[in-house]
Amino acid sequence: MAKHICIVSNYYPPEMGAAANRIQILAESLQAKGMQVTVLCPLPNYPFGELFEGYPKTGPYTEQINGIRTVRLSTFATKSTKPWLRFKAMGAFAKSVSKQLRQQHPYDTVIIQCSPLLVGYHSLRTAKKLGLKAVINISDIWPLAAVELGAMRKGLIYAWMRKMEKFIYRHADAILGQSEEILTHVQKEGATAPLLLYRNYPRTNTASLCKTPGKDVKVVYAGLLGAAQGILELCKQIELPANWEFHIYGQGNEQEAIVSYLNANSKSIIYTGSLTKEELHGKLSDYHLALAPLKTRIYGSVPSKLFELPHFGLPVLYLGAGEGAQVVQQYKLGWSVSGSDWKAMNALLVQLNGDKSQWPRPEELQQTARENFVPEPQLERLVALLDQ
């Protein structure tokens, strides 16, 4: 009988964003390998903080999404940045997951997306009590990331979360990390379980490549409009050369402030709303350069855009440091500057406008992506790990 894998995730389509896409690819890939897969996730509400139309107010609610059995659980929907409301939302979903797992279940293994840390902690404890193999998929290092973003100070809550973090690392049966920095961190914290680097590689069908830039240059950012990305400050600081345009796609906490700023300032920056992944992919060939900003250096974080955009032949300007900058340099994906070094960013734009010969060729970028940024090889390693 095929293994039955349960994936616990705080995000899943029809919600948009890297986290939802990452878990969808994981679920569909495992099912394609002959495993049964069930996803436990909240009733969809991200990033609006309101339940999506057509869904009930409480779960569980079961639906099929691209052939994946998806069980939507009760949560507390909010988009507030207030810590106590965020904890309330995490706690509500964590409680729903634990209750659902304790019911009679057919699962062999539970793969738990972490963050949120509170969900990861309670899901892991419940899985272990039930005798299930528990695999932790770490995308961000919490609570360290919260401190680096300025959302938390080191104190009692931080110490409490650190205890949960260490418990997770030391009791998981296997740990997947999206970056080398994450795997280094969990080892330092006492993890002894098998570790696997599991990058956020995309599945894409690239019908057309972007073009090399001429006199006119179109720049694109597509993604979350939140504090970590800092798109509002980017709009204020960027100095586009003549004949350049900057188009923004996405949603998030900064959306209204960005629209208000752009309406009051005459810059060649256009906010174009939000598109589905498929719609966005159809438009990427219209652009010459993509921005991948990470406002604050967050140890362990590597934006998924660095692995997706080269599939379309789009060079990347990464505004950040750490492992993300190393990836850009190693694979020659474009350029990187510090996330808050606006002077260096604007100087680089002037340089790129003056000498287009230094831009990577779209065909070479796509070839690099096809050779290095596809999920199948690491999926084989994951399947082998689950079979142990």
Side-chain angles (χ1 to χ4, degrees):
M1 181 179 295
K3 283 184 176 293
H4 196 153
I5 308 296
C6 173
I7 301 177
V8 176
S9 174
N10 207 55
Y11 309 98
Y12 201 72
E15 295 174 322
M16 294 181 287
N21 291 336
R22 172 175 64 250
I23 299 302
Q24 183 179 37
I25 290 173
L26 175 62
E28 294 177 3
S29 297
L30 290 176
Q31 187 148 294
K33 290 293 183 181
M35 299 183 182
Q36 291 180 271
V37 178
T38 296
V39 175
L40 302 184
C41 55
L43 290 162
N45 64 93
Y46 180 81
F48 309 104
E50 299 177 355
L51 296 183
F52 284 21
E53 186 176 350
Y55 285 87
K57 293 183 179 180
T58 60
Y61 173 80
T62 302
E63 61 180 338
Q64 296 283 328
I65 299 181
N66 286 0
I68 300 296
R69 179 174 178 264
T70 307
V71 182
R72 301 281 181 180
L73 303 178
S74 298
T75 189
F76 173 73
T78 179
K79 64 177 181 180
S80 174
T81 57
K82 294 181 179 179
W84 71 273
L85 287 176
R86 298 294 295 272
F87 276 116
K88 183 177 179 179
M90 295 175 199
F93 179 53
K95 182 179 179 180
S96 296
V97 171
S98 295
K99 180 180 178 180
Q100 188 72 19
L101 286 176
R102 284 195 301 268
Q103 295 179 0
Q104 187 174 2
H105 63 80
Y107 311 130
D108 302 297
T109 299
V110 181
I111 300 177
I112 304 164
Q113 171 64 27
C114 192
S115 56
L117 190 62
L118 192 61
V119 175
Y121 173 76
H122 284 286
S123 300
L124 174 67
R125 290 198 64 174
T126 303
K128 299 296 286 185
K129 287 179 181 179
L130 296 172
L132 300 174
K133 177 184 287 187
V135 179
I136 299 296
N137 181 30
I138 303 174
S139 56
D140 300 288
I141 301 171
W142 285 79
L144 176 62
V147 172
E148 292 182 334
L149 283 170
M152 177 183 293
R153 295 181 180 179
K154 292 185 178 181
L156 290 177
I157 294 178
Y158 175 83
W160 170 62
M161 294 184 72
R162 283 283 287 147
K163 288 182 179 180
M164 286 195 293
E165 179 193 13
K166 292 180 180 181
F167 180 91
I168 290 171
Y169 298 158
R170 294 172 184 179
H171 290 83
D173 294 297
I175 296 176
L176 315 180
Q178 289 187 42
S179 68
E180 296 283 5
E181 289 178 345
I182 287 175
L183 297 183
T184 298
H185 175 78
V186 300
Q187 282 184 309
K188 289 182 178 178
E189 293 295 336
T192 58
L195 306 179
L196 176 64
L197 179 64
Y198 199 87
R199 299 278 199 192
N200 189 14
Y201 293 150
R203 275 212 167 86
T204 60
N205 295 311
T206 50
S208 58
L209 286 173
C210 74
K211 301 175 180 61
T212 54
K215 180 180 179 181
D216 297 329
V217 175
K218 294 178 68 176
V219 184
V220 63
Y221 170 79
L224 294 178
L225 306 178
Q229 294 76 34
I231 300 301
L232 176 60
E233 187 64 21
L234 172 64
C235 290
K236 294 177 179 179
Q237 297 292 341
I238 195 168
E239 298 174 4
L240 294 168
N243 302 312
W244 283 49
E245 281 187 355
F246 177 28
H247 292 210
I248 300 171
Y249 297 88
Q251 295 172 327
N253 293 334
E254 286 191 343
Q255 178 180 338
E256 293 182 5
I258 290 171
V259 172
S260 178
Y261 173 78
L262 295 181
N263 287 338
N265 293 271
S266 56
K267 285 189 169 185
S268 298
I269 305 175
I270 304 167
Y271 173 68
T272 51
S274 182
L275 299 176
T276 66
K277 180 175 64 174
E278 292 74 19
E279 290 170 336
L280 176 64
H281 286 178
K283 287 187 171 293
L284 287 180
S285 60
D286 296 337
Y287 295 94
H288 305 101
L289 176 67
L291 298 186
L294 195 58
K295 180 180 178 181
T296 303
R297 162 76 164 117
I298 304 174
Y299 185 80
S301 295
V302 178
S304 59
K305 293 176 181 60
L306 300 185
F307 305 117
E308 180 180 32
L309 295 169
H311 281 275
F312 299 87
L314 263 175
V316 178
L317 172 50
Y318 177 56
L319 306 176
E323 191 168 335
Q326 295 170 11
V327 169
V328 172
Q329 181 179 13
Q330 177 182 354
Y331 294 100
K332 300 178 180 179
L333 305 180
W335 310 268
S336 65
V337 297
S338 173
S340 58
D341 193 344
W342 307 116
K343 183 177 180 180
M345 177 192 71
N346 289 321
L348 178 61
L349 295 181
V350 171
Q351 178 185 336
L352 296 179
N353 186 53
D355 183 8
K356 305 281 195 327
S357 65
Q358 63 181 300
W359 291 54
R361 291 172 51 85
E363 297 83 0
E364 294 174 355
L365 285 172
Q366 186 181 69
Q367 185 62 29
T368 295
R370 289 177 173 176
E371 291 176 356
N372 299 282
F373 305 152
V374 290
E376 280 70 22
Q378 64 180 13
L379 177 64
E380 294 292 342
R381 293 190 287 271
L382 174 58
V383 170
L385 184 64
L386 296 175
D387 283 338
Q388 288 181 6

